[in-house]
Amino acid sequence: MKLSFGLSALIGLTLSFHAYGGGNPEFVKFPEKYEQIFTKYDVANRANQTQLAKFYANKIAVESYKKGEEAAPGSVVVMEIYVPKKDAEDKILSGADGLFIIDKLAAVAVMEKRNDWDSAYNADDRSGGWGFALYDPAGVAKTNDLNCAQCHTPLQKQDNLFSFQKLVDYVKSH
C-alpha cells in the first residue's frame, strides 16, 4: 500500500511540473498591482474569436518601444483574458464598437523578458528572451496545456509579441 501511494504521489508531482505547458510561474512571477502601474495599451477581441483581451506593459517595455528598440530586459507584458457574455442562443455579444462584452476575467497571461534566466528554466519554454506564465484572476498559477514559446517564436520580427504593433503604435501616439 505504501509503495503504491508513494509511486502515485511521485507520478502526480512529476506531472504537475509539466502542467504549465510553455509557461512557468516559478520563474515568471505575477506582477502585483500591474493594472494600476502598467500602461494599458490595447483592448481587442482575441484571434480565436472566443475571448476579449486587455493588454498592459510596464515602464521598461514602454520606454524601449518609444526609443524604437526591442523590449529591454525587465520588460513585462500582461494580457488579461476575458470570457464574453453570450445570448440565449449561446452567441457572443458585442458592443457597438465590435468588442465582445465582458462577462468575467478568466486568466492573466504574463510575459517577462530577461537575459539572465536561471538555467533551471528550460530554454525551450522561452522565446526571444521572453518567459511566460498563466495565472487565475487572483494571481494564483494556473495550469494550461499551451506551449507559449512555440506560438511566440515565429514572431521574432515582432519581438515575439502578438500585440507588438499595437504597443508600438500606442507608444508613438502618447
Side-chain angles (χ1 to χ4, degrees):
M1 250 353 219
K2 280 187 177 183
L3 181 60
S4 66
F5 173 75
L7 184 59
S8 295
L10 179 61
I11 290 170
L13 184 59
T14 302
L15 291 174
S16 72
F17 285 118
H18 299 288
Y20 294 113
N24 194 324
E26 288 185 38
F27 297 101
V28 179
K29 301 299 181 192
F30 184 82
E32 297 293 332
K33 299 183 181 179
Y34 70 87
E35 63 271 48
Q36 297 167 13
I37 56 176
F38 285 19
T39 299
K40 182 168 73 172
Y41 64 90
D42 194 30
V43 177
N45 295 335
R46 290 196 63 202
N48 65 16
Q49 292 300 302
T50 62
Q51 300 164 323
L52 178 117
K54 292 183 182 179
F55 299 91
Y56 298 82
N58 72 352
K59 186 176 183 176
I60 297 169
V62 168
E63 292 302 318
S64 296
Y65 290 121
K66 272 188 182 176
K67 295 177 190 173
E69 299 172 355
E70 202 173 82
S75 294
V76 178
V77 175
V78 171
M79 177 177 63
E80 294 177 336
I81 303 166
Y82 291 89
V83 174
K85 288 186 179 184
K86 295 182 177 182
D87 64 15
E89 297 173 359
D90 206 34
K91 292 182 182 168
I92 295 174
L93 298 173
S94 297
D97 57 5
L99 294 174
F100 298 150
I101 298 171
I102 293 171
D103 184 18
K104 64 181 178 181
L105 180 61
V108 179
V110 180
M111 292 178 63
E112 180 180 354
K113 191 168 194 182
R114 294 178 47 187
N115 58 6
D116 63 347
W117 288 108
D118 187 300
S119 62
Y121 188 12
N122 187 342
D124 291 340
D125 292 337
R126 302 188 314 263
S127 178
W130 291 98
F132 309 89
L134 187 66
Y135 294 90
D136 72 10
V140 176
K142 185 173 180 165
T143 59
N144 73 87
D145 59 357
L146 301 174
N147 184 329
C148 303
Q150 183 180 20
C151 289
H152 285 264
T153 297
L155 304 172
Q156 292 176 13
K157 291 182 181 178
Q158 299 172 206
D159 198 12
N160 299 81
L161 296 172
F162 282 94
S163 63
F164 172 79
Q165 196 59 53
K166 294 288 187 173
L167 181 50
V168 168
D169 291 348
Y170 178 88
V171 299
K172 285 181 179 179
S173 67
H174 289 82

